[in-house]
Amino acid sequence: MPVYHSLGSIPPKRHTQFRKPDGSLYAEELVSTEGFSSLYSLVYHAYPPTIVKTLGEPYCVEPKIAREKHLKHTSLIGFNIQPEDDYLQSRKPVLVNSDLHISLAAPRQSMVDYFYKNSQADEVVFIHEGTGTLKTGFGNIKFQYGDYLVIPRGTIYQMEFNGAANRLFIVESFSPIRPPKRYRNQYGQLMEHSPYCERDIKRPADLKTYDEHGDFKILIKKQGLIYPYIYGTHPFDFVGWDGFHYPWALSIHDFEPITGRLHQPPPVHQTFEGDNFVICSFVPRKFDYHPLSIPAPYNHSNVDSDEVLYYVDGDFMSRKSVVKGQMTLHPGGIPHGPHPGSVEKSIGKESTDELAVMIDPFRPLMLTEDAIRIEDENYYKSWQY
């Protein structure tokens, strides 16, 4: 998030001597994105972040593609992903392309014996069910139902859950995740017409310095492989940091909907963007107030992009038989629209309580083997009268 933030102790000037009480130097680290051309933070460690003791054999976690090319409206029943104890093992990629991977996860246990770093992608972790704490060297962020956790690539983290019932919708982006450009001024500040502002952002807090030696397992993801590293010092040994590069969170419940006299197009729901895709939030809102308005969305011919909708909660007036955790994929090349009867049924309604996350990618998505296992094979027939 392009807002300056600082925690802990830092020296008055960057790249200058910053000493411990015993006279030795803290280790300065620059964490930067897009080379030295975009967001960065300066981190001060109790020990150099380079003390590797052993390196294990990497193993593959690349998604297994089951359907590379397709032109079929598809529905996945997300809650049919079975819970697993381990956080990483529970993550099941279902829709992927060269810009992003979309995964579902139902982890039962916190990460306690290892840390994780995604070095190939920013992550957006949407909390569908569960509460807990995202723990990083930058500090902690408490999360709950409806939170988007935005974790920049290269961030070492642990997920601590308060219970065993957790459901996550995860986007891995191979480009930086950022608020929509049209909502930011030339200085990066969110403008008055933005559906959320800096006050809604949850930033890291409660910085604790772990000044510890030992064997610390960090699983690092790069190019579809997990590399097991054992470091000699605790990765959360930050004594202080400042900058613009750090994990942050936004609740979907703090997204303020943009409404109008007539039906508003999907871009008004946009929440984040990456290269070649956007993430949108559909939230409870007043319906259109023109006397002849039709609240249900019109038929739409996907020409340039696929459309993914992840149903979170509420009543969806444009769809029949929607369940929590259901995911629909409407591929580019064929139209989609409201189910039969939904248009007339929507007329006269004043509001909706629907809650959903939408992703529009501008390159076609492929279905994985995990996706095929939870597919509703008859969804494409659901528009029949």
Side-chain angles (χ1 to χ4, degrees):
M1 181 66 188
V3 176
Y4 177 81
H5 191 42
S6 179
L7 285 177
S9 300
I10 58 175
K13 294 284 287 185
R14 58 187 177 182
H15 316 322
T16 60
Q17 297 176 32
F18 184 34
R19 297 190 178 275
K20 304 178 184 179
D22 66 4
S24 61
L25 288 169
Y26 289 113
E28 183 182 45
E29 178 189 15
L30 174 70
V31 183
S32 63
T33 59
E34 300 180 80
F36 291 83
S37 302
S38 190
L39 304 182
Y40 69 91
S41 287
L42 284 170
V43 174
Y44 296 88
H45 296 270
Y47 305 98
T50 51
I51 305 174
V52 179
K53 298 179 74 172
T54 61
L55 174 60
E57 285 296 318
Y59 56 91
C60 183
V61 291
E62 198 72 55
K64 296 179 180 179
I65 305 303
R67 193 180 297 157
E68 180 179 358
K69 298 178 181 179
H70 59 97
L71 192 63
K72 173 188 175 184
H73 290 323
T74 302
S75 177
L76 309 178
I77 309 304
F79 278 22
N80 282 351
I81 292 290
Q82 295 303 304
E84 297 187 33
D85 289 342
D86 183 71
Y87 171 71
L88 289 184
Q89 292 179 5
S90 76
R91 291 164 56 129
K92 308 299 182 186
V94 290
L95 302 173
V96 301
N97 67 16
S98 58
D99 298 309
L100 74 160
H101 289 178
I102 301 172
S103 299
L104 299 171
R108 284 188 290 239
Q109 295 181 2
S110 301
M111 300 163 62
V112 293
D113 58 354
Y114 69 90
F115 304 82
Y116 177 59
K117 176 167 76 171
N118 194 330
S119 287
Q120 70 179 30
D122 285 19
E123 294 189 352
V124 179
V125 180
F126 178 79
I127 310 299
H128 193 166
E129 291 185 350
T131 61
T133 304
L134 171 67
K135 303 175 73 173
T136 75
F138 294 94
N140 298 333
I141 299 176
K142 293 187 181 300
F143 60 79
Q144 59 187 349
Y145 164 60
D147 281 344
Y148 292 102
L149 301 176
V150 182
I151 308 171
R153 72 199 58 207
T155 301
I156 299 173
Y157 72 86
Q158 286 184 320
M159 293 287 280
E160 181 180 271
F161 300 105
N162 294 331
N166 305 291
R167 290 280 177 179
L168 312 175
F169 175 81
I170 303 171
V171 178
E172 292 179 79
S173 170
F174 303 117
S175 60
I177 290 290
R178 50 195 178 264
K181 185 176 181 180
R182 69 180 181 279
Y183 292 142
R184 293 176 284 144
N185 62 26
Q186 61 180 320
Y187 304 103
Q189 183 182 17
L190 290 165
M191 293 192 284
E192 280 289 297
H193 65 283
S194 171
Y196 60 93
C197 74
E198 287 80 3
R199 296 184 188 183
D200 300 316
I201 301 302
K202 292 195 287 187
R203 290 175 279 176
D206 304 320
L207 178 65
K208 177 183 177 182
T209 304
Y210 291 81
D211 187 344
E212 299 176 19
H213 291 271
D215 293 333
F216 299 93
K217 185 177 182 180
I218 302 176
L219 300 180
I220 303 176
K221 187 174 184 179
K222 182 74 172 181
Q223 295 178 304
L225 296 177
I226 294 286
Y227 293 85
Y229 271 74
I230 301 296
Y231 278 82
T233 56
H234 199 292
F236 299 165
D237 69 341
F238 295 25
V239 296
W241 65 273
D242 76 331
F244 289 68
H245 176 87
Y246 52 84
W248 53 283
L250 170 71
S251 173
I252 195 171
H253 305 298
D254 286 329
F255 185 89
E256 299 300 334
I258 298 172
T259 60
R261 271 169 48 91
L262 299 175
H263 188 85
Q264 298 297 296
V268 303
H269 306 288
Q270 187 180 348
T271 311
F272 310 109
E273 65 184 14
D275 292 350
N276 298 312
F277 75 94
V278 299
I279 301 176
C280 302
S281 300
F282 287 82
V283 301
R285 62 194 181 277
K286 292 288 187 181
F287 273 147
D288 326 312
Y289 46 89
H290 186 284
L292 297 178
S293 68
I294 299 178
Y298 36 75
N299 294 294
H300 174 224
S301 184
N302 296 27
V303 177
D304 297 317
S305 72
D306 290 358
E307 178 201 271
V308 175
L309 202 59
Y310 179 76
Y311 296 93
V312 179
D313 209 345
D315 179 28
F316 293 85
M317 45 66 177
S318 62
R319 287 283 178 273
K320 296 178 180 178
S321 304
V322 170
V323 296
K324 290 182 180 182
Q326 184 176 347
M327 188 187 308
T328 56
L329 167 62
H330 300 140
I334 50 176
H336 70 278
H339 279 152
S342 298
V343 174
E344 283 286 356
K345 186 179 178 181
S346 74
I347 294 174
K349 290 194 173 182
E350 296 185 354
S351 63
T352 177
D353 63 351
E354 67 186 18
L355 203 63
V357 178
M358 187 179 82
I359 298 176
D360 278 358
F362 297 104
R363 290 191 176 99
L365 290 164
M366 299 175 285
L367 280 80
T368 69
E369 292 180 0
D370 287 309
I372 298 302
R373 294 188 186 101
I374 60 170
E375 180 183 8
D376 174 0
E377 295 182 355
N378 293 315
Y379 173 73
Y380 73 97
K381 298 178 182 179
S382 61
W383 284 268
Q384 296 180 8
Y385 284 90

